[in-house]
């Protein structure tokens, strides 16, 4: 069964760095790409970036300077790091592979 | 970046009514490999999005066949033939032909 699960801190201080982990099961990261998508409260979906199965990445133009996506295939984990967080980065962060989505993790940026 | 314009932003329907949602792209979504990577998602309240339609018109496994997708190039449509109560939520189109991938702004379906 394919599953994705996001984990990370629920609260991050402004200007700090967000680190999230997506732990997957039921498939190999070398066979499928994993995307990160976020959703501010009450707003729409925003594609953040992707870890391709071959190991390369692509990012949302608006976030590219602050965002980094990496992986550990031995642990079936994909990592998201985003620096210089501001209040507008408050959102639910999802990892997804095609039709499969994690439940998301709510991240609040506040002092 | 590709901009996807969804209309209408909100839709109110009675049970059994058929409705359509439009998604227009700022550029053609036809990939050089011949595929058009335009999907439709439904996000029910408090839930992550769910894939309904992929590659414009292919129904995801387990999705009721009252959902259908059509279109080409820059114009796409999601149709629900006979709305049911469980269909309420926000519908999004999303393109993955051109990086960065982009979502439409969403259409909220309310049940009268």
């Amino acid at each position: 069964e394919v599953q994705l699960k996001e984990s990370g801190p629920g609260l991050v201080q402004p200007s700090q760095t967000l680190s999230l982990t997506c732990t997957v099961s039921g498939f190999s990261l070398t066979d499928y790409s994993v995307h990160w998508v976020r959703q501010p409260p009450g707003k729409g979906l925003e594609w953040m970036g992707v870890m391709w199965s071959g190991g390369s990445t692509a990012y949302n133009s608006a976030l590219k300077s602050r965002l980094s996506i990496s992986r550990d295939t031995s642990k079936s984990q994909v990592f998201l790091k985003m620096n210089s967080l501001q209040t507008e980065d408050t959102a639910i962060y999802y990892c997804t592979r095609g039709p499969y989505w994690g439940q998301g993790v709510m991240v609040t940026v506040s002092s | 970046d590709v901009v996807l314009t969804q209309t209408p932003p909100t839709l109110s329907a009675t049970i059994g009514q058929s409705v359509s949602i439009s998604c227009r792209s700022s550029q053609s979504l036809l990939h050089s490999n011949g595929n058009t990577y335009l999907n439709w998602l439904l996000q029910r309240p408090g839930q992550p999005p769910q894939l309904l339609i992929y590659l414009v018109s292919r129904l995801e496994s387990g999705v009721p066949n009252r959902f259908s997708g059509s279109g080409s190039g820059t114009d796409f449509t999601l149709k629900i033939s006979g709305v049911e109560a469980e269909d309420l939520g926000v519908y999004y189109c999303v393109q993955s032909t051109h990086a960065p991938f982009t979502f439409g702004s969403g259409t909220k379906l309310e049940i009268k």
Side-chain angles (χ1 to χ4, degrees):
Chain A
E1 181 187 9
V2 172
Q3 292 187 330
L4 300 95
K5 185 171 184 178
E6 307 88 350
S7 58
L11 180 65
V12 179
Q13 293 197 340
S15 79
Q16 296 302 300
T17 297
L18 172 66
S19 294
L20 296 177
T21 299
C22 175
T23 303
V24 309
S25 58
F27 68 97
S28 170
L29 292 177
T30 57
D31 291 330
Y32 293 92
S33 59
V34 171
H35 301 251
W36 287 95
V37 174
R38 69 177 180 175
Q39 185 171 38
K43 296 191 177 180
L45 301 167
E46 180 182 31
W47 182 81
M48 299 183 71
V50 58
M51 169 59 73
W52 296 111
S53 58
S56 61
T57 54
Y59 299 108
N60 182 319
S61 310
L63 302 174
K64 191 172 185 176
S65 63
R66 302 194 289 139
L67 184 61
S68 174
I69 297 174
S70 59
R71 71 181 183 182
D72 183 334
T73 56
S74 67
K75 294 184 178 179
S76 293
Q77 292 180 324
V78 180
F79 309 105
L80 178 147
K81 285 186 188 277
M82 189 163 68
N83 59 32
S84 304
L85 254 62
Q86 300 301 319
T87 55
E88 52 266 33
D89 295 311
T90 294
I92 298 175
Y93 287 75
Y94 296 101
C95 57
T96 172
R97 189 216 101 183
Y100 305 100
W101 289 69
Q103 284 299 308
V105 60
M106 179 68 203
V107 175
T108 301
V109 181
S110 175
S111 55
Chain B
D1 297 359
V2 173
V3 176
L4 297 180
T5 302
Q6 268 187 253
T7 55
T10 59
L11 203 46
S12 185
T14 56
I15 301 299
Q17 183 179 350
S18 292
V19 298
S20 293
I21 299 169
S22 170
C23 178
R24 288 189 170 171
S25 174
S26 59
Q27 57 184 278
S28 174
L29 299 184
L30 178 63
H31 194 277
S32 57
N33 66 10
N35 289 327
T36 298
Y37 295 95
L38 187 284
N39 299 346
W40 290 95
L41 311 176
L42 164 60
Q43 187 174 32
R44 296 187 173 96
Q47 296 295 315
Q50 169 194 1
L51 179 65
L52 299 176
I53 302 281
Y54 63 99
L55 293 175
V56 179
S57 59
R58 300 189 186 182
L59 198 65
E60 174 63 14
S61 176
V63 174
N65 60 13
R66 63 180 179 274
F67 292 94
S68 63
S70 63
S72 63
T74 60
D75 277 338
F76 304 93
T77 301
L78 175 71
K79 183 177 181 180
I80 311 173
S81 300
V83 166
E84 298 195 3
E86 65 182 19
D87 299 338
L88 74 90
V90 181
Y91 291 79
Y92 295 94
C93 55
V94 53
Q95 69 83 22
S96 52
T97 295
H98 305 288
F101 304 161
T102 46
F103 289 90
S105 53
T107 295
K108 185 175 183 179
L109 175 62
E110 301 170 338
I111 307 298
K112 287 181 185 175

